[in-house]
């Protein structure tokens, strides 16, 4: 499947956003889902210019938890597609998360 670049979000880190920031991130996620026809991909640990940031394990784990919280608030599911790799306590590859609308309850 081809994923449009519009539905891919690059985030350096998402550690403990305040409530207004979280609300903004959820709105952004909903927009990405609409633009990507129900799919969005997030790369965590990547700067806006596409360079790898090298987050520590805590920052990466906290960022993934924040994305899972955002997904719940956006009525979506979050699946970790690719787990980050760590070398010398720094992430050496990004985490890739796939977001899709939550299945409708019958």
């Amino acid at each position: 499947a081809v994923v449009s670049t519009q539905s891919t979000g690059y985030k350096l880190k998402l550690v403990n956003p305040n409530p207004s920031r979280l609300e903004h991130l959820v709105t952004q996620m909903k927009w990405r889902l609409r633009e990507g026809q129900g799919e969005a991909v997030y790369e965590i640990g990547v700067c806006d210019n596409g360079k790898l940031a090298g987050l520590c394990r805590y920052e990466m784990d906290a960022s993934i938890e924040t994305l899972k919280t955002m997904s719940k608030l956006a009525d979506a599911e979050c699946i970790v597609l690719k787990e980050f790799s760590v070398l010398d306590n720094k992430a050496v590859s990004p985490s890739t998360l796939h977001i899709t609308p939550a299945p409708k309850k019958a």
Side-chain angles (χ1 to χ4, degrees):
V2 176
V3 179
S4 91
T5 53
Q6 265 190 321
S7 65
T8 301
Y10 297 99
K11 296 293 180 195
L12 176 55
K13 57 185 174 183
L14 298 165
V15 180
N16 298 327
N18 65 41
S20 66
R21 174 78 175 132
L22 184 63
E23 190 176 317
H24 172 76
L25 290 166
V26 169
T27 300
Q28 192 177 58
M29 179 179 279
K30 288 177 179 177
W31 181 85
R32 284 191 201 289
L33 284 166
R34 275 195 306 275
E35 289 296 306
Q37 281 99 40
E39 279 190 277
V41 175
Y42 280 79
E43 296 270 347
I44 303 294
V46 180
C47 300
D48 286 339
N49 64 8
K51 289 208 178 354
L52 189 66
L55 300 182
C56 69
R57 179 172 288 281
Y58 164 77
E59 290 172 320
M60 192 63 92
D61 287 341
S63 297
I64 290 170
E65 283 308 307
T66 298
L67 257 175
K68 288 179 178 178
T69 299
M70 289 164 52
S71 297
K72 280 192 188 104
L73 294 170
D75 199 26
E77 284 190 329
C78 176
I79 298 163
V80 177
L81 290 181
K82 189 176 81 185
E83 186 69 38
F84 62 98
S85 306
V86 174
L87 182 67
D88 295 330
N89 280 333
K90 294 283 185 204
V92 292
S93 67
S95 287
T96 305
L97 294 94
H98 184 242
I99 315 294
T100 54
K104 300 287 177 240
K105 301 212 174 14

